Amino acid sequence: MSSPCTQSKGEEEKKSDSVQIDPGAGYKYGVLVSEDTPVNRNDAHSIQLKIDFSGEKENDKNHVSTLEKVSQNESYAELPVQSKSALKRKMKKDLWELRKKEKRIQEREKRKKRKLDPTHRLNTVTRKQLKNATMANSNCKVTIAIALSFDNYMDERSLAKCVKQISRCYSINRRATDPVQFHVTSLDGASLKEMSKNSGYENWDVNLHEKHFTEIFSKEKIVYLTSESDNVIENLKDDYVYIIGGLVDHNSHKGLCHKLAEEKGLSHGRLPISENIDMKTRKVLTIDHVFNVMVNICNGQSWKEALLEILPARKGAQEKPVDDNTITNGDRIADKFAVADEDAAADEDAEADEDAEADEDAVADEAASADEDAAADEDAVC
Ligand SMILES: C[S@@+](CC[C@H](N)C(=O)[O-])C[C@H]1O[C@@H](n2cnc3c(N)ncnc32)[C@H](O)[C@@H]1O
């Protein structure tokens, strides 16, 4: 059978049961967009899916080749098409799987190259340092817990991103001179299954719990972190437990963690972002960015230093003019725009995708390093 991309018009007409994939237009950041033509389920199973290669960057050849592999997959032509969205879902899933495999190969090659680089050893933490910098040896007694239990609010891909962010948190903590007391709670069901993909995670220097955090920590010591809180965190206290919601939702469940904290009668607080830096986008950070900022605070940085170091440039984080700690009209206007930004779901998704693209390499590297850490931990246990 010929590829669906190369079928002639005559063949197309004869094959009313087949799916036509036309590498024309409409692809952006891993999302396949189909034409808005409604499918007449009674007499036509033919769907035109359009994929745009034109927007791809010159250096993104692998990405394009992945797309070609997916779009030229002959099996699509044989699919008994139920609906246009079912086909789109299948193509997206296949595309995601193929990209994942390619990424893994690229990461492995990158790691191999890095090991051969003579400067590599200078930039990495030694095994000895890793063995010594444990939570038990740390001078920092601040507890940070990532609370899972949002499995029902995340699809497979978001849950995978969530667990990837947790593995990055682990990596950040292992590299800190004084690691925080790190816990992951409600690790069961789909979250546990996803976490189990990190081989050796059971050996990580992290307290893993199946239970909900309210069953582990005393209520009076809990501070739920949420960007919607009116309470600004100024200092991190040793005997307190700071909860980060284990949720990757591109803010589609805006205010969820704040609502949960209120419902459970828990204290809550937000990071002092507008008090320390100017930021032109919304102030909802990713799990690993929140964690990283807090680890850096525990290791002696000021809020300003930590926020400027951790927040990606695309967030537009800038130093605030000296002595400007009051909320200005400019801040209010910026906040207003940020809220409008939050409400624009489409913009948010695009931003989240950019986020993922921009951070993907860094996260992958860190996750890989986390595995190396686990190996170091294993050594320590032996
Ligand atoms: C991606 S956010 C989840 C956003 C979600 N829509 C919500 O309303 O909670 C993941 C977690 O990071 C923490 N977080 C994000 N930005 C924060 C901020 N500016 N201050 C305090 N915590 C923040 C919160 O604990 C939040 O649950």
Side-chain angles (χ1 to χ4, degrees), residues 224-228 243-249 251-258 269-271 273 283-287 290:
Y224 208 128
L225 296 171
T226 157
S227 60
E228 274 82 12
I243 305 290
I244 301 176
L247 173 61
V248 171
D249 66 337
N251 221 21
S252 57
H253 300 290
K254 190 171 174 279
L256 178 63
C257 294
H258 183 247
R270 65 169 173 83
L271 298 185
I273 299 178
K283 294 169 181 68
V284 185
L285 311 185
T286 58
I287 298 164
V290 175

Side-chain angles (χ1 to χ4, degrees), residues 328-380:
T328 62
N329 209 23
D331 285 334
R332 276 187 210 107
I333 293 167
D335 278 347
K336 223 168 156 186
F337 277 119
V339 170
D341 189 29
E342 276 171 54
D343 292 339
D347 283 356
E348 239 170 19
D349 273 352
E351 190 190 338
D353 281 340
E354 273 173 36
D355 214 342
E357 288 290 325
D359 285 347
E360 214 165 13
D361 280 350
V363 173
D365 281 349
E366 292 294 338
S369 308
D371 286 346
E372 283 168 20
D373 290 356
D377 286 345
E378 262 167 8
D379 281 356

Side-chain angles (χ1 to χ4, degrees), residues 92-352:
K92 270 194 214 178
K93 199 162 173 268
D94 292 354
L95 178 66
W96 173 241
E97 287 300 324
L98 270 166
R99 281 209 72 194
K100 222 164 66 178
K101 275 186 200 152
E102 277 181 3
K103 279 260 163 207
R104 291 290 88 85
I105 295 167
Q106 281 169 11
E107 280 157 20
R108 218 171 297 140
E109 278 168 7
K110 226 159 121 185
R111 273 204 300 278
K112 266 190 212 156
K113 259 194 214 155
R114 221 177 29 190
K115 275 189 185 152
L116 295 173
D117 177 0
T119 62
H120 174 65
R121 291 194 74 79
L122 297 175
N123 301 326
T124 49
V125 188
T126 63
R127 279 183 164 233
K128 199 171 167 200
Q129 278 168 312
L130 278 174
K131 276 184 194 174
N132 291 335
T134 58
M135 295 196 293
N137 291 341
S138 176
N139 291 316
C140 172
K141 300 300 169 201
V142 170
T143 298
I144 302 180
I146 297 179
L148 290 165
S149 79
F150 293 103
D151 291 2
N152 295 338
Y153 293 89
M154 291 183 276
D155 60 16
E156 209 180 319
R157 200 171 164 192
S158 298
L159 183 60
K161 281 186 187 174
C162 177
V163 169
K164 215 168 186 185
Q165 288 184 28
I166 293 174
S167 81
R168 182 151 199 260
C169 293
Y170 167 65
S171 191
I172 290 162
N173 207 35
R174 289 298 273 117
R175 274 156 182 72
T177 309
D178 279 310
V180 299
Q181 305 304 309
F182 183 21
H183 294 247
V184 177
T185 64
S186 297
L187 183 63
D188 58 6
S191 305
L192 178 61
K193 204 171 152 208
E194 190 59 44
M195 184 61 115
S196 310
K197 292 181 187 168
N198 290 296
S199 63
Y201 79 95
E202 304 96 331
N203 302 317
W204 290 1
D205 190 26
V206 180
N207 300 296
L208 303 171
H209 311 268
E210 254 180 63
K211 288 184 180 168
H212 191 268
F213 64 87
T214 49
E215 295 175 62
I216 303 162
F217 307 110
S218 100
K219 197 174 163 183
E220 298 73 50
K221 295 292 177 194
I222 293 174
V223 180
Y224 208 128
L225 296 171
T226 157
S227 60
E228 274 82 12
S229 179
D230 289 332
N231 311 317
V232 183
I233 309 240
E234 281 168 11
N235 304 305
L236 299 180
K237 296 183 189 147
D238 262 3
D239 49 346
Y240 275 72
V241 181
Y242 297 88
I243 305 290
I244 301 176
L247 173 61
V248 171
D249 66 337
H250 311 320
N251 221 21
S252 57
H253 300 290
K254 190 171 174 279
L256 178 63
C257 294
H258 183 247
K259 191 171 144 241
L260 290 178
E262 289 264 296
E263 276 171 7
K264 289 189 185 296
L266 300 170
S267 300
H268 49 76
R270 65 169 173 83
L271 298 185
I273 299 178
S274 46
E275 288 71 15
N276 287 280
I277 58 165
D278 281 331
M279 203 163 96
K280 64 176 182 228
T281 58
R282 63 195 160 88
K283 294 169 181 68
V284 185
L285 311 185
T286 58
I287 298 164
D288 52 323
H289 286 154
V290 175
F291 185 89
N292 207 346
V293 167
M294 295 181 75
V295 168
N296 284 19
I297 295 297
C298 293
N299 281 266
Q301 276 193 342
S302 67
W303 286 107
K304 188 195 275 188
E305 285 166 343
L307 290 164
L308 287 174
E309 183 186 311
I310 307 305
L311 297 187
R314 116 198 115 58
K315 281 260 178 207
Q318 279 176 358
E319 194 156 341
K320 228 179 159 69
V322 187
D323 287 331
D324 185 9
N325 272 337
T326 49
I327 308 273
T328 62
N329 209 23
D331 285 334
R332 276 187 210 107
I333 293 167
D335 278 347
K336 223 168 156 186
F337 277 119
V339 170
D341 189 29
E342 276 171 54
D343 292 339
D347 283 356
E348 239 170 19
D349 273 352
E351 190 190 338

